[in-house]
Amino acid sequence: MKILQITTLLLFSSTVFAQVGTNGADRNEEGRPVKEYNLTIEENEMTLAGVTAKGMTINGSIPGSVLEFTEGDLAIINVTNKMDVETSVHWHGLILPNFYDGVPYLTTPPIKPGTTFQYRIPINQSGTYWYHSHTMLQEQSGVYGSIIIHPKEKTTEYDKDLVVVLSDWTNENPMNVLRNLKRGNEWYQVKKGTAVPLGRVIKEGAFGAQLKFWRDRMEGADIADIYYPAFLTNGKSLAEYPEFKTGEKVRLRFINASASTYYWMDFGGGNPMVVAGDGIDVEPVPKSRFLFGIAETYDVIVTIPEGTLEVTATAQDGSR
Ligand SMILES: [Cu+2]
């Protein structure tokens, strides 16, 4: 069995991405091929990686649909808001008319409950990008998805594509998370087991440092502020792709759609070559370990070995 296995470690869950209503044949007045997608955002209770929370889904899933285009297309994206709060979609990394940038009250009107907003974006670039809500803390609740844009002429040799969206998932109301952070208490450190009892601080002779931390309102272990009960790879704790064959070159399009998590990416083989960063082609560079920041994208071509290739994403604070 040759399996490409990507894991953020934890239990299990459902839903990958689904593509919707595409239309490759039509052309607009300028002669651009028109590619149209319909995205519906609604509130759904979701169990992801064994953790159930009130989520916000796109076409019923987290992450939302993969939007696939070719450079030169006209993207028409109809976003319907079936929630009882307003929403928005920002197209992260796309070069587009300002009016469609999706920042509510700044560039684009918010999408009111029960309405549909149509985005019309001429696609003038290629690469791996993503989209997310730009309203309140909706991104943490699940309003994000991926964008793939193929170049007019192929710039890189590979056999297949796979989008890999990483994200963090909490069963807390994101507003409560923010409130806890603003209070500057140690709630999440206690949950992670990184809070140090005062007795030990004094015993180690670190009381002065602790006083300074308190004065600065800093937590003791501050690599990551929030405790997450789950991290997701395409909506799962363990995502497996048995469809790839030994010797195939697969372009993994990694997107860090987390609200608050950096990951260490580790490749257990496959001669990983980084070929793009944030959508832009780079001189291919071999890398089997790198730190993956929030909102970044990296394209990595791997060669499927005999057996299983495992890629691991570990939260920077080591919590999962
Ligand atoms: Cu963004």
Side-chain angles (χ1 to χ4, degrees), residues 20 34 40 56 63 67 70 83 112 123 125 135 143 149 152 161 172-173 198 202 205 252 268 281 284 300 305 308:
V20 279
V34 175
T40 300
M56 291 178 177
L67 307 184
T70 302
M83 304 189 292
K112 299 281 186 193
I123 302 292
Q125 66 199 117
T135 300
V143 187
I149 309 171
K152 269 192 184 131
D161 276 304
E172 257 186 286
N173 179 334
L198 195 56
I202 293 167
L252 301 172
D281 283 352
V300 182
T308 301

Side-chain angles (χ1 to χ4, degrees), residues 149-169:
I149 309 171
H150 299 285
K152 269 192 184 131
E153 274 153 44
K154 214 173 182 182
T155 54
T156 314
E157 280 309 314
Y158 58 95
D159 301 310
K160 286 174 180 164
D161 276 304
L162 178 69
V163 173
V164 183
V165 178
L166 303 182
S167 55
D168 42 29
W169 178 241

Side-chain angles (χ1 to χ4, degrees), residues 90 92 130 132 134 295:
H90 168 68
H92 192 114
W130 65 297
H132 59 84
H134 215 293

Side-chain angles (χ1 to χ4, degrees), residues 239-250:
E240 290 187 307
Y241 300 92
E243 64 265 38
F244 301 117
K245 296 184 189 72
T246 300
E248 276 183 332
K249 285 188 186 299
V250 181

Side-chain angles (χ1 to χ4, degrees), residues 56-69:
M56 291 178 177
T57 59
I58 300 169
N59 294 344
S61 75
I62 295 174
S65 312
V66 179
L67 307 184
E68 200 165 352
F69 302 104

Side-chain angles (χ1 to χ4, degrees), residues 218-241:
M218 286 280 289
E219 316 307 336
D222 206 45
I223 290 174
D225 294 326
I226 301 171
Y227 166 83
Y228 286 101
F231 297 102
L232 309 174
T233 301
N234 288 335
K236 303 176 181 187
S237 59
L238 174 67
E240 290 187 307
Y241 300 92

